[in-house]
Amino acid sequence: QVQVVESGGGLVQAGGSLRLSCTASGLSVTDYTMAWFRRAPGKERERVSCITRSGRSTFYADSVKDRFTISKDNAKNTLYLQMNSLKPEDTAMYYCAAGGSAFCYSNERNYNYWGQGTQVTVSS
């Protein structure tokens, strides 16, 4: 049974940092393109960052570029999202997703497995 479980969310002041983790079981992060999505209140879910299964390519939404860093530890089968210089507009539920494609698609329909999400709240 495949599971992806996020952790690391919380409440932080603007300018602070958080590191999200996504631990996978039943699949290998080396076989799947892994992504972080987020859904802010009243908005659609959007792709924040993505890393291909080879790890050679990454993607960042313009809104988080130069502040967030995606990485993965193959030995731990875990995906990370380091979030620095957080802003109130980063407040959202953050989801980890795994897709079978070799590419970082923006459409969530390209991702087969999803976690339950971890809440990130940034206060001003």
Side-chain angles (χ1 to χ4, degrees):
Q1 183 181 358
V2 174
Q3 275 192 314
V4 288
V5 179
E6 306 94 337
S7 61
L11 174 63
V12 64
Q13 287 190 329
S17 298
L18 284 173
R19 189 177 79 157
L20 305 184
S21 299
C22 169
T23 301
S25 58
L27 66 81
S28 171
V29 298
T30 59
D31 294 333
Y32 284 80
T33 288
M34 303 295 296
W36 290 98
F37 285 73
R38 69 185 180 187
R39 178 182 281 140
K43 295 186 177 181
E44 293 186 352
R45 189 155 57 182
E46 63 171 347
R47 184 187 54 173
V48 173
S49 185
C50 179
I51 184 167
T52 57
R53 54 194 182 196
S54 68
R56 287 194 286 267
S57 295
T58 58
F59 164 85
Y60 297 94
D62 287 342
S63 58
V64 307
K65 207 168 288 184
D66 299 326
R67 299 189 297 122
F68 290 11
T69 303
I70 193 170
S71 63
K72 59 179 180 173
D73 185 326
N74 294 337
K76 294 183 178 180
N77 213 32
T78 299
L79 177 74
Y80 301 101
L81 186 69
Q82 178 66 43
M83 305 187 295
N84 298 329
S85 303
L86 282 161
K87 303 175 180 180
E89 51 264 45
D90 294 318
T91 294
M93 184 71 78
Y94 283 72
Y95 298 90
C96 173
S101 170
F103 304 104
C104 278
Y105 288 110
S106 61
N107 194 314
E108 59 184 67
R109 289 180 292 182
N110 290 287
Y111 297 86
N112 310 93
Y113 303 105
W114 292 82
Q116 293 299 306
T118 186
Q119 178 68 38
V120 171
T121 303
V122 184
S123 63
S124 56

